[in-house]
Amino acid sequence: MGYERVMGLHVTDDVGYQQYRDAMLPILTTYGGSFGYDFRIAEVLKTKTADNINRVFTIEFPDQKTMEAFFADPEYLAIKSRHLDHSVASRTIIAMYNNATEL
């Protein structure tokens, strides 16, 4: 069983967002994390937020504690500040849950 986070973003700079992904991926893998799904969204039919969403993805970790450690990692935070904060207008946590990988 792992811990999964479903995120919705409003990406405003695709190049900057890809630079963020490229820079943070090595750190993510050291925490045992990975991306599960990744979608570009053309139209949102129903939402619980006023924020726009044009990208939805899942990010997976071995457990919640590991996810929290990753998002608090100083090297990750520097990459986030350098790339993500300038390329994404809004971030929405859609869901977080324990995930059984096999059905």
Side-chain angles (χ1 to χ4, degrees):
M1 185 175 295
Y3 197 77
E4 192 163 21
R5 187 175 192 174
V6 182
M7 292 294 302
L9 304 178
H10 182 207
V11 176
T12 55
D13 175 1
D14 286 326
V15 172
Y17 182 68
Q18 189 59 51
Q19 290 171 336
Y20 160 75
R21 281 282 188 104
D22 293 343
M24 62 80 80
L25 191 57
I27 302 166
L28 178 65
T29 57
T30 65
Y31 282 88
S34 63
F35 291 101
Y37 294 91
D38 193 3
F39 305 98
R40 284 195 171 106
I41 305 301
E43 182 179 13
V44 176
L45 301 175
K46 184 169 175 71
T47 184
K48 293 182 179 182
T49 181
D51 294 329
N52 291 327
I53 296 174
N54 61 6
R55 188 87 175 239
V56 173
F57 65 90
T58 61
I59 187 167
E60 303 164 353
F61 295 91
D63 53 54
Q64 184 176 358
K65 185 176 179 179
T66 303
M67 179 195 73
E68 291 167 355
F70 166 76
F71 284 116
D73 182 286
E75 189 177 356
Y76 167 76
L77 291 173
I79 290 167
K80 176 181 174 279
S81 176
R82 191 167 44 251
H83 298 293
L84 183 68
D85 293 344
H86 304 289
S87 60
V88 172
S90 63
R91 297 181 283 271
T92 302
I93 298 173
I94 295 172
M96 293 191 292
Y97 53 89
N98 288 318
N99 182 22
T101 56
E102 297 293 324
L103 295 178

